[in-house]
Amino acid sequence: MKVAVVGATGLVGSEMLNVLAERNFPVTELIPVASERSKGKEIEFKGKKFKVVTPTEAIAMKPDVALFSAGGGTSTEYAPLFAEAGITVVDNSSAWRMDPAKKLVVPEVNGDVLTTEDKIIANPNCSTIQMVVVLKPLHDKYKIKRVVVSTYQSVTGTGVKAVQQLNDERAGVEGEKAYPYQIDLNVIPQIDVFQENGYTKEEMKMILETNKIMQDDSIKVTATTVRIPVMGGHSESVNIEFENDFDLDELREALRQQEGVVVVDNPSNLEYPMPKDAHGKDEVFVGRIRRDETQPNTVNLWIVADNLRKGAATNAVQVAELLHKKGLI
């Protein structure tokens, strides 16, 4: 299968290449794609070297599937051109997520919605992905009424510039800034731009995307998203109110049975998920599972995942795997 990776030289694009190799996706020809300034650079994949091409050149090479991770502007401009050429696009930007004509897919949650007509498929926001994988079995079993989520998000979610800022600050070096404030030894309660309602764009993404992926607008979601000086993964404190009561052991078992979820929940041995343990892994880790004692039918959870893997690259590759398995590409 001919596979294009658009944004192959970026953080998520590089991770997509790693994930494609690790999961043995049936790549017969890799087409690494980036901007004009990266054209001609060589990318190594499974021991072979491939030259970076521009999006226009990639379309002419007729890949079967194109995994996009080059920002909203590139996706808005080029994804429709790839789709018109009959190439299925899995897009990691926010450009198409809330388009009512486009599917927003996490394979373990709503992979059944994909059809042959879907030529541009949206990959959700990283913090949304790890949350809905955990919400899915609980919604099926107890029906979720309301979710309150606070995130603790890695600098890798911002990109290379943010990683460099953190490293510079730790080394006491002056350098280019990705954030308006110091991030080392600090916490920034703003991810993306503020909206008129006082929420940030990232918070609104989590709210709106959750309803779309879960295919249930009755689930009320409120979010506070926060950047912390960590690399390796995003963490989330999640409070979930259900319509129905639950048994804690049964709830844990429902999570254990969910594809893509690993339960790490043993407080007596100080075992709980942390970003350093999720780094480089494709699963979503959940722990600190306990009843909210202030109101009925409510549970508290702690969710951690590698934001470059399950939060971006792995989910996109899993969508491509599902399309291949269903014979849609």
Side-chain angles (χ1 to χ4, degrees), residues 270-311:
L270 309 185
E271 291 173 1
Y272 32 70
M274 292 180 286
K276 73 177 188 63
D277 301 321
H279 183 58
K281 299 195 172 77
D282 291 332
E283 297 82 10
V284 174
F285 299 85
V286 60
R288 297 297 321 277
I289 302 166
R290 62 212 187 274
R291 193 177 281 276
D292 180 343
E293 296 180 346
T294 65
Q295 64 175 19
N297 307 349
T298 305
V299 72
N300 286 304
L301 306 170
W302 177 252
I303 302 169
V304 178
D306 185 325
N307 54 293
L308 294 183
R309 302 275 301 198
K310 182 56 183 168

Side-chain angles (χ1 to χ4, degrees), residues 255-256 258 260-264 273 283-287:
L255 290 170
R256 284 192 191 97
Q258 169 68 3
V261 168
V262 175
V263 176
V264 183
E283 297 82 10
V284 174
F285 299 85
V286 60

